[in-house]
């Protein structure tokens, strides 16, 4: 198996999407922590090299000599490389990608900013921004709720896919974002959290004992979700 390295950070939900897939797939990989509180042009090599981390952000994944950025693009590449979680047949593959595009413009926009605004950097957001983000999230999670009401186990019916990993990433931090989740979404996240190989976003901290979180809430999981 070609060596895989994930450059990420425990506070990055986008990194966690990729880590979640690798953990559930039980694929051997190396985790490299990048300090996201350091200015991008001061981050260490080889991460900083523009040919690797093109946008100076985590996650970055290397597979042998190849490198990939942007969490949802990485998930697609890993699904192709590993032959896992990419959806069955042409329709399943397309549906996975549709959900990844939806996540990037919906939950992937509103929820990370709500988490930052309400838990870490409230002064960085102008008046009205948090209310707008909250309304966006309520609408977006409502759509996810309607999708899951038919009793399916995962987004693609009973088939676990990269769509689940992408959509779930930041939702595991719903407590920090101070948002309510519908029961259908809680149950779906619970199923993901009980998958063999699942680890919390902070599981890699044992490898970096000197690391501290941003300094506020550490108990991020809704007790209804945590396995």
């Amino acid at each position: 198996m070609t060596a895989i390295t994930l450059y990420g950070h425990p506070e990055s939900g986008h990194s966690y999407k990729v880590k979640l897939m690798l953990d559930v797939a039980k694929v051997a990989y190396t985790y490299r922590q990048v300090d996201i509180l350091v200015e991008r042009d001061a981050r260490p090599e080889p991460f900083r090299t523009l040919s690797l981390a093109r946008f100076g952000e985590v996650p970055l994944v290397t597979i042998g000599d190849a490198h990939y950025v942007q969490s949802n693009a990485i998930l697609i590449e890993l699904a192709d490389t590993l032959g896992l979680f990419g959806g069955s047949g042409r329709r399943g593959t397309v549906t996975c990608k549709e959900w990844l595009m939806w996540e990037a413009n919906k939950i992937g926009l509103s929820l990370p900013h709500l988490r930052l605004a309400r838990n870490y950097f409230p002064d960085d957001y102008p008046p009205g921004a948090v209310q707008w983000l909250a309304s966006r999230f309520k609408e977006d999670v409502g759509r996810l709720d309607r999708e899951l009401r038919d009793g399916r186990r995962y987004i693609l019916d009973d088939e676990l896919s990269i769509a689940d990993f992408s959509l779930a990433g930041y939702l595991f931090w719903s407590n920090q974002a101070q948002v309510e989740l519908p029961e259908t979404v809680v149950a779906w996240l619970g199923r993901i959290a009980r998958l063999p190989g699942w680890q919390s976003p902070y599981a890699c901290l044992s490898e970096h004992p000197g690391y501290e979180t941003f300094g506020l809430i550490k108990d991020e999981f809704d007790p209804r979700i945590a396995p």
Side-chain angles (χ1 to χ4, degrees):
M1 178 67 190
T2 304
I4 297 175
T5 300
L6 166 61
Y7 293 83
H9 191 280
E11 298 281 5
S12 165
H14 297 302
S15 298
Y16 181 59
K17 296 177 192 177
V18 179
K19 184 179 184 297
L20 178 59
M21 178 183 180
L22 291 170
D23 289 339
V24 172
K26 299 182 180 178
V27 172
Y29 66 97
T30 300
Y31 183 88
R32 304 286 189 197
Q33 187 167 297
V34 176
D35 189 349
I36 59 176
L37 295 182
V38 173
E39 293 295 329
R40 293 178 184 181
D41 60 3
R43 292 174 185 177
E45 295 290 11
F47 175 83
R48 191 177 71 244
T49 304
L50 291 179
S51 62
L52 292 179
R54 182 174 299 115
F55 306 115
E57 301 170 341
V58 294
L60 159 70
V61 161
T62 61
I63 305 175
D65 294 330
H67 51 272
Y68 306 93
V69 297
Q70 297 296 298
S71 59
N72 287 343
I74 292 170
L75 289 175
I76 292 171
E77 182 60 31
L78 286 174
D80 290 344
T81 299
L82 301 174
L84 295 170
F85 307 130
S88 296
R90 177 68 176 170
R91 183 66 257 175
T93 299
V94 171
T95 302
C96 270
K97 292 177 180 178
E98 288 172 346
W99 275 111
L100 265 61
M101 300 308 108
W102 184 87
E103 185 276 341
N105 189 48
K106 301 294 184 177
I107 290 175
L109 168 67
S110 58
L111 190 55
H113 281 289
L114 280 174
R115 177 175 175 249
L116 290 175
R118 289 176 167 173
N119 193 48
Y120 296 121
F121 310 115
D123 296 335
D124 289 355
Y125 290 80
V130 175
Q131 290 80 2
W132 181 82
L133 289 165
S135 66
R136 278 289 305 267
F137 175 75
K138 184 176 180 179
E139 179 179 338
D140 298 341
V141 81
R143 178 52 194 253
L144 193 56
D145 173 38
R146 292 192 296 275
E147 289 283 337
L148 293 167
R149 284 181 192 173
D150 61 6
R152 71 184 80 169
R153 288 187 57 78
Y154 302 110
I155 296 302
L156 301 187
D157 298 319
D158 289 332
E159 181 182 8
L160 182 66
S161 71
I162 53 176
D164 295 285
F165 300 132
S166 176
L167 290 162
Y170 269 101
L171 285 168
F172 280 109
W173 277 299
S174 60
N175 277 9
Q176 288 190 352
Q178 300 174 33
V179 295
E180 293 292 328
L181 300 182
E183 290 299 327
T184 54
V185 175
V186 170
W188 163 71
L189 289 171
R191 288 190 287 274
I192 294 173
R194 289 188 292 274
L195 290 169
W198 181 90
Q199 295 187 64
S200 81
Y202 293 133
C204 56
L205 290 184
S206 61
E207 304 172 17
H208 304 273
Y211 167 76
E212 295 181 0
T213 66
F214 287 166
L216 296 179
I217 302 173
K218 187 69 178 295
D219 296 327
E220 78 280 10
F221 291 121
D222 185 322
R224 300 173 298 167
I225 297 172

